Amino acid sequence: PKFKELFSKSRAINLLSAARLCLFAARDVWFVVALPIYLAQQFDWNFWWVSGFMALWVIGYGGVQSQAPR
Protein backbone atom coordinates (compact mmCIF):
# COMPACT_ATOMS: atom_id res chain seq x y z
CA PRO A 1 0.00 0.00 0.00
CA LYS A 2 1.02 3.56 -0.56
CA PHE A 3 1.85 5.73 2.45
CA LYS A 4 -1.34 7.76 2.15
CA GLU A 5 -3.44 4.57 2.20
CA LEU A 6 -2.22 3.82 5.74
CA PHE A 7 -4.34 6.65 7.14
CA SER A 8 -8.06 6.54 7.78
CA LYS A 9 -10.48 8.60 5.77
CA SER A 10 -11.84 9.98 9.04
CA ARG A 11 -9.98 13.03 10.37
CA ALA A 12 -11.10 12.25 13.93
CA ILE A 13 -9.55 8.78 13.82
CA ASN A 14 -6.31 10.18 12.42
CA LEU A 15 -6.15 12.77 15.23
CA LEU A 16 -6.84 10.11 17.84
CA SER A 17 -4.11 7.93 16.35
CA ALA A 18 -1.63 10.81 16.44
CA ALA A 19 -2.50 11.57 20.07
CA ARG A 20 -2.04 7.92 21.04
CA LEU A 21 1.32 7.86 19.23
CA CYS A 22 2.47 10.89 21.23
CA LEU A 23 1.26 9.41 24.53
CA PHE A 24 2.95 6.06 23.95
CA ALA A 25 6.15 7.76 22.78
CA ALA A 26 6.22 9.93 25.92
CA ARG A 27 5.70 6.85 28.10
CA ASP A 28 8.50 5.00 26.34
CA VAL A 29 10.93 7.90 26.70
CA TRP A 30 10.10 8.10 30.42
CA PHE A 31 10.69 4.39 31.05
CA VAL A 32 13.67 3.92 28.74
CA VAL A 33 15.62 7.11 29.48
CA ALA A 34 14.34 9.25 32.33
CA LEU A 35 13.36 6.67 34.96
CA PRO A 36 16.65 4.71 34.93
CA ILE A 37 18.63 7.94 35.18
CA TYR A 38 16.39 9.15 38.01
CA LEU A 39 16.77 5.89 39.95
CA ALA A 40 20.53 5.87 39.52
CA GLN A 41 20.96 9.50 40.60
CA GLN A 42 18.37 9.85 43.36
CA PHE A 43 18.87 6.48 45.05
CA ASP A 44 22.52 5.98 44.06
CA TRP A 45 21.65 2.63 42.48
CA ASN A 46 24.14 0.93 40.19
CA PHE A 47 23.32 -0.58 36.82
CA TRP A 48 22.24 -3.94 38.29
CA TRP A 49 19.80 -2.45 40.81
CA VAL A 50 18.19 -0.24 38.17
CA SER A 51 18.01 -3.10 35.67
CA GLY A 52 16.60 -5.49 38.26
CA PHE A 53 13.95 -3.02 39.33
CA MET A 54 12.94 -2.34 35.74
CA ALA A 55 12.77 -6.08 34.99
CA LEU A 56 10.61 -6.77 38.03
CA TRP A 57 8.39 -3.83 37.12
CA VAL A 58 7.83 -5.17 33.60
CA ILE A 59 7.10 -8.68 34.91
CA GLY A 60 4.72 -7.35 37.57
CA TYR A 61 2.97 -5.04 35.13
CA GLY A 62 2.57 -7.91 32.70
CA GLY A 63 1.01 -10.00 35.44
CA VAL A 64 -1.48 -7.26 36.27
CA GLN A 65 -2.32 -6.77 32.59
CA SER A 66 -2.86 -10.51 32.11
CA GLN A 67 -5.48 -10.43 34.89
CA ALA A 68 -7.28 -7.37 33.50
CA PRO A 69 -9.65 -9.27 31.14
CA ARG A 70 -11.05 -11.22 34.10
Side-chain angles (χ1 to χ4, degrees):
K2 294 182 180 179
F3 183 74
K4 191 170 186 174
E5 294 172 355
L6 297 175
F7 296 102
S8 174
K9 291 178 176 46
S10 169
R11 183 175 187 271
I13 291 176
N14 288 332
L15 287 174
L16 178 62
S17 296
R20 286 178 53 106
L21 176 69
C22 292
L23 287 171
F24 283 111
R27 180 200 63 186
D28 291 345
V29 168
W30 166 248
F31 277 107
V32 173
V33 179
L35 184 59
I37 292 172
Y38 175 81
L39 293 173
Q41 300 230 335
Q42 291 298 316
F43 300 116
D44 200 28
W45 288 1
N46 64 22
F47 170 80
W48 295 106
W49 278 95
V50 172
S51 300
F53 176 80
M54 297 299 289
L56 289 174
W57 179 270
V58 169
I59 292 167
Y61 186 76
V64 170
Q65 289 292 83
S66 70
Q67 299 302 314
R70 294 184 189 168

